[in-house]
Structure formats: structure tokens, C-alpha cells
Amino acid sequence: MGRAGDALAAAAREAFTDGMRGAAIAGALLLLVAAGIAVAGLRHIRVRDNAGRAETLSPSGV
């Protein structure tokens, strides 16, 4: 490939991995924010039984 080609390939590889790292971090942060919103939104949901009475489930689901 030659020196110029090797340098270009190394620069492209570096740019690709930096971009992938940034995308992975952004995706992980987005996932954590979405999980936090889901937990906050679902924390006080009440479940109704067949008779229409509201029940609050414990964290263990019992």
C-alpha cells in the first residue's frame, strides 16, 4: 500500500473506532435516561383485580 496508504488506513481506523466509541457512550446514556424515566413513570402504577379493587404490588410482586 505504501506509506501514504498505511497512514490513511491508520487514520481511518482511528476515526472509525473513535466514532464507534462515541456512539456507544451516547447509546448507553440514552438507555439509562430512558430506564430512569420508565422507573419514575411506573413507580406508582396500581393494578386492579377482577372485582375492581386497586392493589399496590410490593417490589417482589407479591
Side-chain angles (χ1 to χ4, degrees):
M1 217 189 292
R3 268 196 278 179
D6 290 340
L8 179 63
R13 192 176 304 115
E14 182 83 18
F16 178 78
T17 55
D18 284 348
M20 287 297 289
R21 185 178 301 121
I25 290 171
L29 289 174
L30 182 64
L31 182 65
L32 287 174
V33 168
I37 291 170
V39 166
L42 296 174
R43 180 166 292 181
H44 302 291
I45 297 293
R46 294 186 179 267
V47 179
R48 295 197 178 272
D49 64 5
N50 289 338
R53 294 181 306 232
E55 296 179 11
T56 302
L57 295 178
S58 69
S60 66
V62 178

